[in-house]
Amino acid sequence: MTLRELPAESTSFIGRTSELATVSRLLSQARLITLTGPGGVGKTRIAVRAAGQSEVRFPDGVCLVPLSSLRDPALLPNTIAGALDLPEQGAATATIDVVAGYLRDKRLLLVLDTCEHLVNACAEVADVLLRNAPDLRVLATSRQPLDVLGEHAVQVAPLPVPEPGERVRTDQDGALALFADRAAAVAPRFRITPDNAELAGALCRRLDGIPLAIELAVVRLRALPLEEIMARLDRRFGLLTGGSRSALPRHQTLEATIGWSHELCDETERLLWARLSVFAGEFGLESAEAVCAGGALAEDEILRTLISLVDQSIVVHVDHGSGARYRLLDTIREYGAAKLTASGEARQIQARHREHYLQMAKSFDRAWTGPDQVPWIRRLRTEQANLRVALESFLDRQSTAAAGLDLARTLWGYWVCTGLLGEGCYWLRRGLELNQSATSDRVHALSLLVWYLDLRGERADTLPLLAEAKRMAVQIGDEEGLAWATSYETHTRYFRGDTSDGPAGMTAARNRLEELGDIRGVIITGFQLGFFHIVNGDLPAAVAVCDDSLARIDDPAECWSRSWALWVKSIALWAQGGHEGAVACMRDGIRMKRELRDLMGIAHFLEGLGWHACEHDQFARAASLFGAADGIWRMSVAEARFGIAMLHDFHNKAQETAQGALGVQRFTAAFEEGAAMGLDEAVALALDELPRGGSWDQLSPREKQVATLVAEGLTNREIADRLVIAKRTADTHVEHILAKLGFTSRGQITELLSAGPPGRGERHPSWTTSVPGDPLQGGPGQGPGAS
């Protein structure tokens, strides 16, 4: 699975040499390290820097899990699964078990950032994961230890400050070095000189060396001389501590600094700061305008005020490829939330926030089968923290619970496409518990819950839920809800082994949806009907109904329904013997699934393209495609290939052929390599998009010897034992071989040497290409990808 990259550092990293050395040492000795300290002291920066420096120790990656925006501890396992890119439409096991199963054989560093508000949940989850994954390391940041057996707590102290009378230097690590660095960025004309060095040092002492406090104070150099900044802070600290400067607690230091920044804001800036505290994680300008405008803060003032808060380091600007986003640091958000509560506006602004995200979800639902589907999915992924806050806010009280159920139901396309079916079930269940009245929302929510549970493999007691949905739909006259409930009932009966009335039940539902004018429903139930035609052996009918659904999709930018229709059609064509047409559908479909990051769909297309590779003697490639699909299925769906006997037969035949050609050891090595692939690499392999190879003659004699052993299926440890060299030396040889040949995987070496070593000077094909004449690539007179 592909892990998100660690965030780039937007400002220079100052100091912390000792802390980084301590964390580095502990990562080789301890399994759980927690960085503790007050807010604003720099725990997150140290954790991210330490993780980046330690990446080479963790061949399975470093995964950062930001927790500041998570408020419901029940969703902690889901959040970790999301950071690991694990979908949640998995088998009937708890999400924490899915995560533990994925990590069991991984050498990976998990960074849990900002645990203090979820300390018990983080402790329990860390304990479970560490017990189940022997090579896992967890690096946490928290204002207090997790108190888990074996935990090593590292207290992060403020940066060192110059003592009174000590010669002040900025070329050493410490608070003054940070002050000088940030001052150069925000006020280019300002310099620390012999005349002001003592005052700068005194300011750092006044701020107790807390990095966030220093950065907030430095921003004021744009408008105020250093002397005035110091004077204003002196007055504020005197008020806060009753004049007892020597007994100044550090948490009061930070509060005083933030409070001083608050005082220096104008009324409009203070108001926006307080209102922005309702957002979790990042937010966009449009959302800020919708939620925060009103009263003394006009909508057309939001942008100007937001920019001003960015300039003052109150709001952090986050530059995404999709547009500008913003966020508040945790300590800044907490301060703003306290001000919002004191103002008496908290309930009103929270109501605006949840209503805004309900309307956003409704806009997404309306656009779900339109041209903006992919941008909408990407947008909602960035808004996940705010969607959770909105759902929690709605479902936290009976008076707004109906709207909460509406929101959970309206996000159906998001839950399905992103693989967050477990979370979808969680919110639907909460909403259904609070909303027992007969409503259309309850009808649809019951049906969706059954569908999600079936996909997850949790199939106990779902038929009574559908019976209630159908009964309620009749009671309130919800014809569309009744048609959907009928279609889901067909699904759930199939998952229980009853396929006899599948086509009839789905056809009835589809016809009724068409009568009601629900074209989206007609499209979706169309390819679902094709699925049941395949199960019952009517392959021409399956192709026809999929073509009908495809013809009804107006915009080629719609990916979700189109790609599933292409998948069902590809299976029907393959079963009929029309393999070239089937593969064309598979290639088009997997490109769409890649755009959506729809893992369940990608797995099914990888499987089919594996059959095709095997048919053209690309056996190592086929094995890795099967492994990549299996890696997703083991984490995502209850049964590989939807449990369809015909698909199992196709798979078994191809796998037996590939295994017979490669031998068990080489097949297993290629399969396991595919299972460890990142999503993009697996899709690139399926589409023949991996880099072409270099020259065999570039390898040294020893490297050729090592390459031959790799092709025999030996691990690096086995190669080292065979050649009587250190494993590290074998690792290096394999890395050099891959780099010289332009390969990304050992399986490509296997494929290269499957017919014997290349001749001298030969420019060999990569794993994803074929020898001349191979119909997979096209021989003389054929263009590439002729199939």
Side-chain angles (χ1 to χ4, degrees):
M1 293 295 180
T2 303
L3 303 185
R4 299 184 180 93
E5 293 183 359
L6 292 171
E9 295 177 344
S10 57
T11 56
S12 54
F13 190 92
I14 303 296
R16 301 305 192 184
T17 305
S18 174
E19 290 89 342
L20 289 171
T22 298
V23 174
S24 177
R25 175 177 55 79
L26 287 174
L27 283 173
S28 65
Q29 302 171 357
R31 307 216 30 231
L32 171 61
I33 303 103
T34 303
L35 302 180
T36 65
V41 80
K43 301 184 293 295
T44 297
R45 287 294 301 268
I46 294 171
V48 171
R49 170 59 71 101
Q53 291 179 346
S54 302
E55 279 186 299
V56 68
R57 301 188 194 179
F58 300 98
D60 294 306
V62 174
C63 180
L64 174 65
V65 188
L67 299 176
S68 61
S69 60
L70 180 64
R71 304 188 184 182
D72 190 336
L75 294 177
L76 176 59
N78 305 65
T79 303
I80 296 173
L84 289 167
D85 266 352
L86 300 181
E88 292 188 30
Q89 55 233 57
T93 53
T95 302
I96 185 61
D97 295 332
V98 174
V99 174
Y102 171 74
L103 294 174
R104 182 165 293 117
D105 59 352
K106 298 291 189 295
R107 289 181 59 193
L108 181 142
L109 174 61
L110 190 66
V111 183
L112 302 179
D113 183 38
T114 314
C115 299
E116 56 267 11
H117 61 303
L118 303 165
V119 66
N120 291 332
C122 288
E124 292 173 8
V125 166
D127 186 56
V128 169
L129 296 182
L130 290 169
R131 288 177 185 274
N132 284 274
D135 291 323
L136 175 69
R137 297 290 186 273
V138 176
L139 177 60
T141 71
S142 176
R143 296 184 192 178
Q144 66 184 92
L146 302 187
D147 288 332
V148 174
L149 186 65
E151 177 184 30
H152 284 63
V154 178
Q155 178 72 31
V156 177
L159 291 168
V161 298
E163 294 297 325
E166 179 184 359
R167 187 169 70 90
V168 176
R169 295 176 56 185
T170 61
D171 60 347
Q172 294 179 334
D173 292 343
L176 195 62
L178 177 67
F179 183 98
D181 180 83
R182 300 302 189 259
V186 303
R189 295 183 180 181
F190 176 84
R191 292 288 185 274
I192 294 182
T193 67
D195 294 332
N196 65 19
E198 275 297 333
L199 190 59
L203 178 63
C204 291
R205 285 195 301 275
R206 169 61 63 227
L207 298 174
D208 274 342
I210 298 175
L212 177 57
I214 293 170
E215 296 197 9
L216 288 172
V218 165
V219 170
R220 297 301 164 190
L221 286 170
R222 290 178 177 146
L224 297 172
L226 183 58
E227 295 79 4
E228 188 168 346
I229 293 174
M230 188 64 180
R232 285 172 177 258
L233 279 175
D234 268 339
R235 289 195 296 272
R236 180 163 188 90
F237 281 116
L239 288 172
L240 180 65
T241 65
S244 178
R245 296 178 181 177
S246 62
L248 187 65
R250 285 192 174 118
H251 74 273
Q252 290 185 338
T253 300
L254 185 57
E255 182 182 349
T257 309
I258 297 174
W260 177 64
S261 294
H262 188 263
E263 288 177 2
L264 293 177
C265 292
D266 62 30
E267 287 297 328
T268 303
E269 291 164 348
R270 292 180 206 167
L271 185 57
L272 181 58
W273 179 349
R275 292 179 177 179
L276 288 174
S277 69
V278 299
F279 287 100
E282 298 175 7
F283 56 88
L285 174 61
E286 178 187 344
S287 295
E289 290 172 336
V291 174
C292 299
L297 185 55
E299 184 175 331
D300 58 9
E301 285 291 299
I302 297 288
L303 177 57
R304 179 196 64 77
T305 310
L306 186 60
I307 291 172
S308 179
L309 290 175
V310 170
D311 289 340
Q312 298 175 69
S313 297
I314 303 302
V315 173
V316 178
H317 174 262
V318 184
D319 191 12
H320 282 297
S322 57
R325 305 275 295 171
Y326 305 90
R327 66 181 177 90
L328 296 176
L329 295 178
D330 299 334
T331 311
I332 300 292
R333 182 187 297 111
E334 290 169 9
Y335 191 94
K339 292 296 181 182
L340 185 65
T341 299
S343 73
E345 280 194 334
R347 293 180 68 87
Q348 177 187 358
I349 301 302
Q350 288 165 359
R352 285 188 199 169
H353 177 275
R354 61 180 180 251
E355 182 62 28
H356 171 68
Y357 283 97
L358 174 59
Q359 295 308 316
M360 181 185 292
K362 288 183 178 294
S363 296
F364 159 75
D365 188 38
R366 288 191 293 270
W368 175 233
T369 50
D372 296 324
Q373 186 180 78
V374 171
W376 262 111
I377 279 289
R378 290 173 179 167
R379 179 180 179 183
L380 289 198
R381 279 193 170 103
T382 67
E383 296 285 5
Q384 180 169 310
N386 282 301
L387 290 168
R388 283 174 169 170
V389 167
L391 284 160
E392 183 68 41
S393 182
F394 274 129
L395 296 174
D396 194 40
R397 54 184 66 85
Q398 187 66 51
S399 61
T400 57
L405 181 61
D406 187 16
L407 176 55
R409 178 196 62 79
T410 302
L411 288 170
W412 75 270
Y414 175 69
W415 305 130
V416 169
C417 186
T418 57
L420 295 173
L421 295 181
E423 185 164 343
C425 288
Y426 174 81
W427 295 116
L428 286 170
R429 281 181 167 133
R430 283 190 59 177
L432 288 166
E433 288 172 4
L434 293 170
N435 295 273
Q436 301 291 327
S437 301
T439 64
S440 179
D441 279 341
R442 183 169 177 83
V443 169
H444 285 268
L446 286 165
S447 298
L448 286 169
L449 179 59
V450 171
W451 185 32
Y452 296 171
L453 291 172
D454 279 336
L455 290 176
R456 286 172 57 82
E458 301 177 19
R459 295 164 193 156
D461 301 324
T462 53
L463 283 172
L465 297 177
L466 285 171
E468 180 188 347
K470 293 175 71 175
R471 183 172 60 251
M472 190 174 290
V474 172
Q475 176 187 340
I476 63 175
D478 183 358
E479 292 293 327
E480 186 177 292
L482 179 60
W484 278 109
T486 301
S487 73
Y488 291 128
E489 184 178 40
T490 303
H491 269 285
T492 203
R493 290 191 183 282
Y494 162 74
F495 281 121
R496 282 158 181 75
D498 181 2
T499 62
S500 58
D501 66 344
M506 193 62 71
T507 298
R510 188 172 192 248
N511 290 342
R512 186 61 184 133
L513 288 169
E514 183 156 29
E515 291 171 3
L516 296 168
D518 185 351
I519 300 303
R520 176 169 65 184
V522 174
I523 292 169
I524 294 172
T525 52
F527 60 76
Q528 291 173 338
L529 174 57
F531 170 91
F532 286 107
H533 280 314
I534 291 175
V535 170
N536 283 6
D538 193 347
L539 302 176
V543 172
V545 76
C546 288
D547 283 339
D548 181 75
S549 282
L550 289 166
R552 292 173 185 267
I553 300 173
D554 295 330
D555 198 292
E558 197 284 334
C559 290
W560 188 78
S561 294
R562 185 183 297 275
S563 56
W564 277 120
L566 285 169
W567 178 76
V568 176
K569 180 179 178 180
S570 74
I571 299 304
L573 290 173
W574 187 275
Q576 286 181 312
H579 291 191
E580 299 309 307
V583 170
C585 291
M586 292 175 188
R587 287 176 172 161
D588 286 345
I590 200 171
R591 290 187 182 98
M592 298 178 195
K593 293 299 187 189
R594 176 169 58 183
E595 286 292 303
L596 290 167
R597 314 298 286 185
D598 183 342
L599 299 187
M600 183 165 61
I602 286 172
H604 283 86
F605 282 115
L606 290 173
E607 169 75 23
L609 290 167
W611 306 339
H612 182 60
C614 189
E615 193 173 61
H616 292 288
D617 299 336
Q618 296 285 312
F619 301 120
R621 182 169 178 261
S624 286
L625 289 174
F626 293 152
D630 185 71
I632 296 174
W633 275 321
R634 280 187 281 118
M635 292 297 126
S636 63
V637 292
E639 292 177 288
R641 295 169 287 278
F642 286 135
I644 302 174
M646 178 188 297
L647 302 188
H648 287 324
D649 289 343
F650 291 149
H651 171 82
N652 293 337
K653 178 182 177 182
Q655 178 164 308
E656 288 169 7
T657 301
Q659 202 168 48
L662 294 173
V664 173
Q665 190 172 22
R666 288 168 61 194
F667 177 89
T668 300
F671 184 94
E672 291 177 351
E673 186 169 3
M677 277 185 176
L679 186 68
D680 289 328
E681 185 183 4
V683 175
L685 171 62
L687 291 173
D688 190 28
E689 294 175 350
L690 290 177
R692 304 291 172 173
S695 170
W696 173 258
D697 280 351
Q698 289 179 277
L699 303 186
S700 69
R702 174 63 98 180
E703 287 168 347
K704 291 177 181 177
Q705 188 179 21
V706 171
T708 301
L709 296 176
V710 169
E712 291 177 9
L714 272 65
T715 66
N716 286 7
R717 170 61 65 192
E718 291 168 337
I719 292 171
D721 293 342
R722 177 80 64 88
L723 300 179
V724 195
I725 58 177
K727 179 181 178 296
R728 186 180 297 275
T729 303
D731 294 340
T732 301
H733 281 317
V734 172
E735 289 173 6
H736 289 172
I737 292 166
L738 294 172
K740 288 181 178 181
L741 297 180
F743 286 168
T744 60
S745 63
R746 300 163 69 90
Q748 291 170 281
I749 301 173
T750 301
E751 192 68 40
L752 168 67
L753 297 179
S754 60
R760 181 172 180 81
E762 180 181 349
R763 296 291 295 182
H764 64 76
S766 81
W767 183 21
T768 55
T769 63
S770 304
V771 295
D774 188 331
L776 184 63
Q777 289 302 315
Q782 290 181 290
S787 60

